[in-house]
Amino acid sequence: MTKATPQAGRPAAGQQGFHLGADIAAPSGNYRWVKLWGWPIRLMHWLAVGTMVALVVTGLYIGKPYFMAGGDTRDHFLMGWMRFIHFAAAAIFATTAIWRIYWLFAGNRFERLPALFPIRPRDWVNMVKQVKFYAMIEPEKAPHYLGHNPLQQLSYTGVYFLAMVMIVSGFALYGQSDPSGFFYKAFNWVGIVMGGMPVVRFVHHVLTWAFLIFIPMHIYLAVRADVLERGGVISSIFTGGRFVPAKHHFVDGEDLNE
Amino acid sequence: MSFLNPLADESLDERLARQGVSRREFMEYCSALCVVLGVGKKFAPTMAKALQTPQRPPVIWLQLQECTGCVESVLRTAEPTVGDLVLDVISLDYSHALMAGAGHAVEKALHDSMTANAGKYVLLVTGSVPLAENGVYTVIGGRTAKDILEEAGKGAAAVIAVGACAHFGSVQAARPNPTGAVGVADIIKDKPVVNIAGCPPIGDVVTATVVHFLTFGRLPDVDPVGRPLFAYGARIHDQCPRRANFDAGQFVEKFDDEAARKGWCLYHVGCKGPATFSPCPIFQWNTRTSWPIGAGHPCIGCTEPHFWDTMTPFYGRLPDVGGFGIEERVDVLGAALAIGATAGVVAHAAATGVHQMREKNRQLPVVDGPSQGGTPNK
Amino acid sequence: MAATKVVVDPITRIEGHLRIEVQSENGKITDSWASSTQFRGIETIMKDRDPRDAWAFVQRICGVCTVVHAVASCRAVEDALDIRIPPNANIIRNLIHGMQFIQDHVIHFYHLHALDWVDVVSALKADPAGTSRLAKSLSPWPNNSETYFAEVQNRVKKFVASGQLGIFTNGYWGHPAYKLPPEANLMAVAHYLEALDWQRDIIRLHAIFGGKNPHPNFLVGGMASAINLNDTATINAERLTDIRDMITRAQRFVEQVYWTDLVAIAGFYKDWAAIGGGVKNHLCYGEFPEGDIRDLDKLYFPRGIIYDNDLTKVHDFDPAKVQEFINTSWYEYSTGPESGLHPFDGETTPKYTGPATPWTYLMGEPKYTWMKAPRYEGKPMQVGPLSRLLVAYGKGHEEVREMVGGVMSALNVGPSALFSTLGRTAARGMETVLLARRMNKWYDDLVNRIKNGDTQTFNQEKWDPSKWPAGESKGFGFLDAPRGALGHWVKIKDGKITNYQCVVPSTWNCSPRDGQGQQGAYEASLVDNHPLVNPEQPLEILRTIHSFDPCMSCGVH
Ligand code: HEM
Ligand code: HEM
Ligand code: NFV
Ligand code: SF4
Ligand code: SF4
Ligand code: F3S
Ligand SMILES: [Mg+2]
């Protein structure tokens, strides 16, 4: 019997539903299956992935219209569509962000604030070991995490921060077309803080590249973990859980370790 | 508009008749101006009355650190023309550019008007105020621009800062701002300052703002950087006749290319219309002859604060923040980093493979876990 | 009798902030100081910027001669990067610059200079019928009727009667130096008002090619206004017709109003043909290229140097011989206070050493102005319409010779009359007439090229910095502006400006003393047989200073 109610006031582990702290399967052979991500996180992740791809593609076109429509103006709406898709995707993207913020407080312990931001001293200590792990120096000494390891925490923190800046700067840009409208009034401070709308646009543009740098590394690390650990890390973001070696000691899974 | 002569001994109708203008035409003029000001035609009679006070309202026009482009712009106004304005509507008691006398004679005229009209005059200011080195970078009649502005500001009923210099220092405040130039609102803080933005602004916006004050006794409503909403309430990009080309995806890629000869959108060659609030496409320039984009040149954003630094390079699509905007250096750098990251990922994957092979002794356990959905946590 | 110290500050009806100090004795000026009292530092601001942006920055040096710095800048950058602009672009620039001359000179005459010669108050005493007769005898201009002048007079009368004199407050009305009869004064006042309306009409040409005036748009490598007769958003047939009509109206006003007024007024002030000559060396870079700018033989106004008012010999100009000194200006040089620097290596490091404000006198201060002191071969030079005319005359320019000859005989004066306050004012009028005529030729050239299928306005070849020369490149952009010889010197490295220097017409003319004590043109003219009857009413100083059409923002920048 495994104690699996890490947070007081939470429903007891073992019950289905996204309020569970963590569903940890009983050991079976060398592996056990651990439930990590509730469906809201998974949905959010894939919505974010989809909209972000759309945002990057359309955003880069908006920034530099690299192909053109010839002929009569009335027959085309190329930039119009690009912007429409950008704004529609932006709306979904922003919604997922709001959702994620809520879920920082409502999610399970792998989804909550402390699991996403390296705010505990132990995370910083472990981060060094984690860096060594990826540098393939003493990889065996790397700490095991069920959820995000500190390096992942940091990079996700970074990505969420980026996303916030994109959203805020995006809506500030969006508001410009109607100075009496809601978005102008709600986001006009952004221009003042950043030093003018041109700077806002610059920031919005530059950070697009930050995403394009994050994405390949992120996908790689997920795949790598999957291959090395054979635990189904990738499928975790589809199914919500993964297999973990039963013998490992997990930094964020004390209750799992006998 | 020579029918605006406000002399007391003549009725409005007489005066209009003498100048060959019917009362209807005059009222139409006032209605049109009311529309420009965004206050509605119902205020036309108020305006007509205000423009014909027996005493012409005193106006003092200071030129501080500037290039006189703003004065010239006001000389190009359509309605009222500057001649009508000066002879018939206002009493221009001080103007460096136009005064007949010089030296002590005009300094005295300035002083006399400020004393006689304390609390009543409209203060127009073109030019910035250099603060470095105790203000020695602009000295007029032996006194610094700051001194002169502070004194004139005290008795002003309204302060209208005309042009980018008076707004934020314009070109002389561009990096590294060697003279420490600032705008009028940085000096006059105890009363509202309205900024007629632009380098220079369209002259008609200046006269319309003056007429607004004369009509309503207060300055027009302004946006967060002090620009009157009736003129600066919308982006160029949202009023631009080339917007259809923008939406269609039709862009000038190089000056004088086929697209340029079809009048397509100038976004690709650096147009700052998407970030610029200005009435240029609507009011147009020089008695509605044309405007920058109308003549094939991208907007350089001249009504926006500090556009010399935030909107440059003018022909690039991004501002030069820290040297990265030039030639879209960020895109090159960003693409390089993204490619670098991908390459790094590939290299790391290869290294991992090698590492794995070396560590032959490390036996990977065979998964014999339960099928998915295995009873969790029983 | 001891010398009286006189300060005139501000000098009004000019561009910018100019302070004149003189000493006078027995009605004559004995010594003079010209101080330009505004500094903006635009040369230093140009550092590290994209050379293609430079025109817009330096254009803001002056909103009066609003095109000249932009064009000089484009030429400097085009020189440095070896960019050749298409002939159409060159013609368009000529049309814009030509119209700038015409408008600037007419505004100068009526709105900045006329009140030195025209007594507005005296116009109230005029008999409108007499004014009409006078005007009709001078010119076929349609607004010559008695009722017209009576209306204007009435308007001015009511204005004066209102007691609010506005810009005419404390003018030197009734000063004995005013010599025009009331009828002529009334005519000039009427044209003062007409010119206000006229100038905003004809300058619309700038809006058509450059989007606006002041500060129309330019482009390194050509012009941005594309030509396409079949589109509404480009230079098309309608736009071209509009331009032709503006040129016609410009020419008509210049010939039938400005020029006739100028000659008529000059007739009453011939004594001013012996006053205020000043610096006797003249510099003209030449202007209005009618071929590639590098083809110096094709400049409509030729380039050259005249020493000592000797018109028989026009010397070649050598750009290497230009230097700027700061002996009496508020700057410092890394090469020492006595050294002169060629503009390619020029430095702009302000260092104020004057008295604390408010000032009483600057005379007697070792340094007294923000204006640098440019010298050619170490000599102070005069620049402007007169210098241009003299160089053209000396080089045998036929139209100029004919024009000058005609005026000399009409006014019954010899050529030496040109070296004077009146000469400068007359020369300005003469070149305006010539240019108003020349505009037609440029317009026809443009239309003919379009007819023959050439609509190119921009050379794309070297727009991209990757096509620019490796290492440092240098360019000299010259131009003869309304107020005289204008040079921009630029150094470019790695796609950015490393040094930018402007030596401007008003820098030459308003130059302070140099190390040898040689005065610049304003100062020298004020001590050249110069009267000052009443130090309280320095009307004569205004006449001579205004005859240069000072522009302080230009001169110091
Ligand atoms: C990951 C998220 C996003 C990415 C990668 C992205 C990317 C971009 C890029 C590259 C541009 C062109 C910038 C330029 O050079 O001018 C752009 C423009 C823009 N983006 Fe985004 N964006 C994102 C999110 C958003 C969001 C959340 C909004 C909110 C409404 C938004 C609104 C805009 C707007 C209004 C523009 C300017 C379009 C125009 O005015 O024509 N973006 N975006
Ligand atoms: C636009 C591209 C993507 C972005 C911006 C992105 C972003 C993120 C973020 C922010 C998280 C943390 C979730 C949280 O706790 O809030 C995450 C987790 C994860 N993502 Fe992505 N993702 C992207 C694409 C992908 C793709 C294509 C895959 C699969 C190959 C993937 C696999 C995963 C996995 C397995 C996790 C959770 C496991 C872990 O902590 O390592 N992601 N992703
Ligand atoms: N001096 C001068 Fe200018 C001219 N003409 C320019 O170069 O006036 Ni503003
Ligand atoms: S705002 Fe621009 S045009 Fe107006 S005075 Fe300043 S520099 Fe000249
Ligand atoms: S030309 Fe400029 S303002 Fe007009 S639609 Fe294009 S980007 Fe917008
Ligand atoms: S540059 Fe200025 S004049 Fe208008 S079109 Fe742009 S705001
Ligand atoms: Mg200089």
Side-chain angles (χ1 to χ4, degrees):
Chain A
M1 166 73 205
T2 320
K3 192 157 69 64
T5 28
Q7 262 92 34
R10 291 259 144 238
Q15 291 170 12
Q16 289 296 339
F18 53 78
H19 287 298
L20 293 182
D23 293 342
I24 297 175
S28 163
N30 296 326
Y31 280 78
R32 64 177 87 198
W33 193 79
V34 187
K35 173 77 188 292
L36 297 171
W37 320 117
W39 67 266
I41 280 288
R42 285 177 273 151
L43 184 61
M44 183 224 80
H45 180 267
W46 291 111
L47 279 176
V49 170
T51 52
M52 191 175 299
V53 169
L55 285 165
V56 168
V57 171
T58 56
L60 287 180
Y61 181 82
I62 296 169
K64 177 171 183 159
Y66 34 78
F67 48 85
M68 286 214 277
D72 194 296
T73 308
R74 277 162 297 188
D75 302 337
H76 300 279
F77 199 59
L78 186 53
M79 180 60 98
W81 281 117
M82 291 289 181
R83 294 177 72 246
F84 176 77
I85 295 168
H86 197 80
F87 302 149
I92 301 172
F93 186 72
T95 311
T96 64
I98 294 167
W99 196 345
R100 186 67 184 93
I101 292 171
Y102 167 68
W103 212 245
L104 283 177
F105 304 97
N108 68 35
R109 65 180 151 125
F110 302 110
E111 301 162 348
R112 285 174 163 253
L113 198 62
L116 197 64
F117 299 99
I119 48 180
R120 288 163 298 208
R122 71 158 196 232
D123 293 330
W124 291 98
V125 174
N126 286 337
M127 195 176 301
V128 177
K129 295 182 185 162
Q130 195 68 39
V131 169
K132 285 185 172 169
F133 169 79
Y134 287 119
M136 286 167 271
I137 301 161
E138 302 179 314
E140 64 287 350
K141 287 198 186 155
H144 294 287
Y145 278 76
L146 283 172
H148 306 310
N149 70 46
L151 215 52
Q152 282 170 322
Q153 289 176 16
L154 192 66
S155 67
Y156 297 150
T157 308
V159 161
Y160 280 119
F161 176 74
L162 283 180
M164 285 321 294
V165 178
M166 288 310 272
I167 289 167
V168 164
S169 58
F171 279 103
L173 287 168
Y174 185 73
Q176 295 295 295
S177 61
D178 179 11
S180 53
F182 168 77
F183 289 106
Y184 182 89
K185 292 191 177 121
F187 289 94
N188 195 46
W189 56 271
V190 183
I192 297 162
V193 168
M194 289 191 184
M197 286 318 293
V199 182
V200 175
R201 179 160 169 252
F202 181 82
V203 167
H204 196 78
H205 184 108
V206 169
L207 293 188
T208 301
W209 291 109
F211 280 103
L212 286 171
I213 293 162
F214 166 82
I215 292 169
M217 307 213 312
H218 170 67
I219 297 174
Y220 165 68
L221 292 179
V223 173
R224 184 182 193 269
D226 205 51
V227 171
L228 294 189
E229 292 167 26
R230 299 270 162 101
V233 173
I234 293 183
S235 55
S236 75
I237 201 72
F238 293 98
T239 64
R242 65 172 175 125
F243 293 102
V244 295
K247 63 175 196 288
H248 281 174
H249 174 270
F250 291 99
V251 179
D252 55 349
E254 298 86 350
D255 42 342
L256 190 61
N257 308 305
E258 272 98 323
Chain B
M1 281 301 301
S2 47
F3 45 78
L4 286 176
N5 194 330
L7 291 168
D9 59 338
E10 212 176 11
S11 79
L12 172 61
D13 290 335
E14 275 169 2
R15 186 181 321 141
L16 297 177
R18 176 170 59 76
Q19 283 153 342
V21 183
S22 71
R23 174 168 249 277
R24 214 188 74 227
E25 277 175 291
F26 178 64
M27 293 312 291
E28 269 169 15
Y29 163 78
C30 290
S31 306
L33 208 55
C34 283
V35 171
V36 165
L37 289 167
V39 295
K41 289 186 183 175
K42 61 177 184 295
F43 283 103
T46 323
M47 181 178 292
K49 210 169 150 224
L51 294 183
Q52 295 149 25
T53 49
Q55 276 288 108
R56 300 194 310 284
V59 174
I60 288 170
W61 188 335
L62 295 182
Q63 291 171 250
L64 305 176
Q65 190 188 27
E66 47 105 60
C67 87
T68 312
C70 289
V71 178
E72 290 280 346
S73 193
V74 175
L75 289 182
R76 313 279 187 271
T77 47
E79 301 269 298
T81 69
V82 83
D84 299 330
L85 196 73
V86 166
L87 286 181
D88 300 337
V89 180
I90 60 166
S91 179
L92 187 57
D93 288 353
Y94 186 81
S95 152
H96 199 129
L98 297 170
M99 292 294 278
H104 305 307
V106 296
E107 295 298 86
K108 183 171 179 319
L110 171 63
H111 200 261
D112 290 350
S113 175
M114 287 193 318
T115 320
N117 303 306
K120 283 186 283 189
Y121 56 87
V122 175
L123 181 63
L124 289 183
V125 186
T126 53
S128 54
V129 183
L131 294 181
E133 296 286 327
N134 300 319
V136 295
Y137 292 118
T138 297
V139 181
I140 303 162
R143 297 170 61 199
T144 64
K146 180 166 177 275
D147 260 12
I148 295 167
L149 178 61
E150 276 171 347
E151 185 189 2
K154 275 190 200 119
V159 183
I160 303 178
V162 175
C165 288
H167 185 187
F168 65 88
S170 195
V171 66
Q172 56 271 21
R175 189 193 70 229
N177 192 353
T179 62
V182 299
V184 171
D186 291 302
I187 304 295
I188 298 184
K189 302 216 156 138
D190 59 343
K191 53 187 76 170
V193 174
V194 64
N195 290 316
I196 314 298
C199 187
I202 303 173
D204 300 292
V205 182
V206 180
T207 46
T209 304
V210 172
V211 170
H212 185 288
F213 181 78
L214 300 184
T215 304
F216 303 107
R218 62 174 175 81
L219 291 168
D221 293 343
V222 296
D223 73 1
V225 289
R227 301 175 293 193
L229 288 170
F230 77 83
Y232 301 90
R235 267 195 316 179
I236 288 194
H237 190 53
D238 295 314
Q239 318 165 76
C240 178
R242 299 186 185 211
R243 181 57 184 262
N245 301 105
F246 175 89
D247 287 336
Q250 297 175 324
F251 302 98
V252 172
E253 285 190 279
K254 283 212 161 114
F255 290 102
D256 202 29
D257 63 5
E258 272 314 300
R261 292 178 189 173
K262 290 188 211 151
W264 284 1
C265 169
L266 297 164
Y267 184 60
H268 209 294
V269 285
C271 183
K272 303 298 183 288
T276 304
F277 288 80
S278 179
C280 298
I282 306 300
F283 285 36
Q284 304 218 0
W285 280 82
N286 303 93
T287 52
R288 294 178 185 261
T289 301
S290 191
W291 64 298
I293 291 171
H297 194 280
C299 167
I300 63 171
C302 81
T303 56
E304 293 298 318
H306 298 286
F307 71 98
W308 297 106
D309 292 322
T310 60
M311 302 283 190
T312 44
F314 289 131
Y315 302 98
R317 292 177 317 281
L318 288 176
D320 181 17
V321 178
F324 288 107
I326 293 191
E327 298 306 313
E328 279 72 47
R329 222 173 265 177
V330 274
D331 287 350
V332 178
L333 193 72
L337 286 175
I339 292 168
T342 313
V345 157
V346 171
H348 196 267
T352 307
V354 172
H355 185 81
Q356 291 292 304
M357 284 189 337
R358 288 225 188 104
E359 309 238 326
K360 289 223 173 70
N361 53 346
R362 186 181 158 179
Q363 266 305 89
L364 292 171
V366 176
V367 181
D368 72 338
S371 66
Q372 223 191 30
T375 352
N377 204 20
K378 199 45 227 220
Chain C
M1 189 177 139
T4 318
K5 291 177 174 182
V6 180
V7 178
V8 192
D9 182 5
I11 297 281
T12 47
R13 284 180 283 125
I14 61 161
E15 195 297 324
H17 307 304
L18 170 63
R19 174 184 181 98
I20 296 290
E21 296 188 5
V22 302
Q23 289 187 342
S24 77
E25 235 175 309
N26 306 323
K28 285 262 182 236
I29 295 177
T30 52
D31 207 351
S32 61
W33 293 263
S35 307
S36 185
T37 59
Q38 169 185 299
F39 171 82
R40 295 198 291 160
I42 292 175
E43 289 164 336
T44 44
I45 290 165
M46 295 321 298
K47 218 163 251 169
D48 289 334
R49 303 208 180 244
D50 187 325
R52 293 167 300 178
D53 288 352
W55 70 261
F57 282 81
V58 296
Q59 182 178 46
R60 269 66 180 185
I61 286 175
C62 181
V64 176
C65 61
T66 170
V67 309
V68 304
H69 293 286
V71 175
S73 176
C74 289
R75 286 181 184 168
V77 173
E78 286 155 5
D79 184 40
L81 305 174
D82 196 26
I83 296 171
R84 274 148 217 266
I85 65 168
N88 287 337
N90 186 60
I91 298 173
I92 293 173
R93 287 184 187 175
N94 280 350
L95 286 169
I96 294 179
H97 191 200
M99 202 56 112
Q100 175 64 39
F101 260 78
I102 295 168
Q103 188 241 21
D104 207 342
H105 284 357
V106 171
I107 288 195
H108 174 260
F109 182 72
Y110 286 106
H111 308 123
L112 306 184
H113 203 15
L115 299 181
D116 301 336
W117 315 98
V118 173
D119 185 337
V120 177
V121 174
S122 140
L124 300 179
K125 296 193 289 248
D127 166 18
T131 303
S132 171
R133 269 195 306 279
L134 169 69
K136 280 178 183 157
S137 75
L138 295 171
S139 145
W141 186 245
N143 276 349
N144 269 347
S145 71
E146 183 186 338
T147 25
Y148 171 71
F149 289 116
E151 250 175 49
V152 172
Q153 193 184 40
N154 205 23
R155 200 173 174 197
V156 178
K157 264 189 191 152
K158 299 218 159 186
F159 181 86
V160 173
S162 77
Q164 293 180 288
L165 286 183
I167 57 171
F168 303 116
T169 311
N170 297 350
Y172 308 122
W173 317 122
H175 192 288
Y178 282 121
K179 296 277 169 57
L180 294 187
E183 283 67 31
N185 282 321
L186 177 56
M187 181 178 73
V189 169
H191 294 161
Y192 177 108
L193 295 173
E194 264 181 73
L196 270 181
D197 286 344
W198 169 86
Q199 56 87 22
R200 84 193 156 115
D201 166 36
I202 56 116
I203 210 62
R204 294 187 307 109
L205 182 145
H206 286 189
I208 291 179
F209 287 123
K212 61 176 170 144
N213 168 284
H215 296 331
N217 290 303
F218 288 87
L219 186 66
V220 166
M223 288 299 294
S225 52
I227 300 171
N228 179 357
L229 296 184
N230 305 313
D231 201 282
T232 49
T234 47
I235 303 299
N236 53 29
E238 191 203 346
R239 292 299 205 180
L240 288 170
T241 314
D242 201 1
I243 286 162
R244 197 204 46 222
D245 293 348
M246 278 181 239
I247 294 174
T248 309
R249 289 194 295 274
Q251 186 181 350
R252 204 178 293 150
F253 190 89
V254 164
E255 290 183 339
Q256 298 183 9
V257 182
Y258 169 37
W259 179 243
T260 50
D261 281 2
L262 171 52
V263 175
I265 293 173
F268 290 92
Y269 290 106
K270 282 192 211 165
D271 48 334
W272 282 82
I275 295 170
V279 168
K280 295 186 167 70
N281 308 317
H282 297 269
L283 165 65
C284 172
Y285 289 157
E287 181 53 8
F288 300 107
E290 296 185 337
D292 188 275
I293 184 81
R294 292 153 184 86
D295 195 348
L296 296 177
D297 291 337
K298 293 211 172 125
L299 294 168
Y300 177 60
F301 286 134
R303 173 180 283 197
I305 303 269
I306 286 173
Y307 293 120
D308 211 23
N309 284 345
D310 178 4
L311 302 188
T312 61
K313 219 163 169 245
V314 180
H315 302 259
D316 284 344
F317 165 73
D318 176 0
K321 292 181 178 165
V322 176
Q323 281 184 312
E324 282 191 309
F325 294 84
I326 51 152
N327 307 65
T328 58
S329 328
W330 292 312
Y331 297 92
E332 57 187 7
Y333 276 173
S334 63
T335 48
E338 302 293 326
S339 57
L341 291 178
H342 185 270
F344 272 135
D345 306 311
E347 297 175 11
T348 302
T349 314
K351 177 133 179 64
Y352 182 73
T353 52
T357 56
W359 298 333
T360 343
Y361 294 108
L362 290 180
M363 62 175 83
E365 292 286 329
K367 293 183 176 232
Y368 59 93
T369 179
W370 288 114
M371 200 68 73
K372 290 180 187 170
R375 294 292 181 265
Y376 182 78
E377 277 190 318
K379 297 181 181 61
M381 307 299 281
Q382 184 171 158
V383 300
L386 175 62
S387 308
R388 233 169 351 242
L389 206 76
L390 296 179
V391 168
Y393 189 93
K395 284 206 160 180
H397 193 289
E398 266 177 36
E399 290 155 61
V400 168
R401 288 212 157 207
E402 201 184 308
M403 184 94 211
V404 174
V407 176
M408 296 291 113
S409 61
L411 289 178
N412 194 22
V413 290
S416 68
L418 283 171
F419 312 127
S420 66
T421 293
L422 189 64
R424 277 185 293 271
T425 297
R428 188 171 292 110
M430 286 186 246
E431 76 173 9
T432 312
V433 174
L434 294 179
L435 282 174
R437 292 180 189 154
R438 200 66 177 178
M439 291 285 282
N440 293 288
K441 175 188 155 28
W442 299 329
Y443 174 81
D444 291 342
D445 287 351
L446 180 65
V447 169
N448 285 330
R449 298 193 69 89
I450 298 172
K451 264 190 201 147
N452 294 331
D454 177 12
T455 58
Q456 196 192 345
T457 56
F458 172 68
N459 178 353
Q460 306 184 345
E461 272 167 43
K462 294 203 181 147
W463 178 250
D464 200 277
S466 61
K467 313 270 170 47
W468 297 353
E472 187 184 74
S473 44
K474 297 176 178 191
F476 168 43
F478 71 83
L479 172 139
D480 239 65
R483 288 158 192 76
L486 168 64
H488 284 203
W489 284 261
V490 66
K491 276 190 186 171
I492 301 168
K493 199 166 177 235
D494 300 328
K496 288 193 175 185
I497 292 170
T498 52
N499 197 10
Y500 204 105
Q501 289 287 321
C502 317
V503 183
V504 182
S506 296
T507 327
W508 289 101
N509 285 341
C510 188
S511 159
R513 291 153 169 80
D514 58 23
Q516 275 91 62
Q518 306 180 90
Q519 290 179 305
Y522 293 2
E523 292 182 348
S525 65
L526 286 176
V527 291
D528 188 350
N529 184 31
H530 208 288
L532 178 60
V533 175
N534 177 358
E536 291 300 310
Q537 301 204 325
L539 184 61
E540 299 94 330
I541 293 180
L542 292 184
R543 283 181 180 173
T544 289
I545 290 298
H546 283 151
S547 74
F548 288 97
D549 192 0
C551 180
M552 295 300 104
S553 289
C554 267
V556 176
H557 38 270

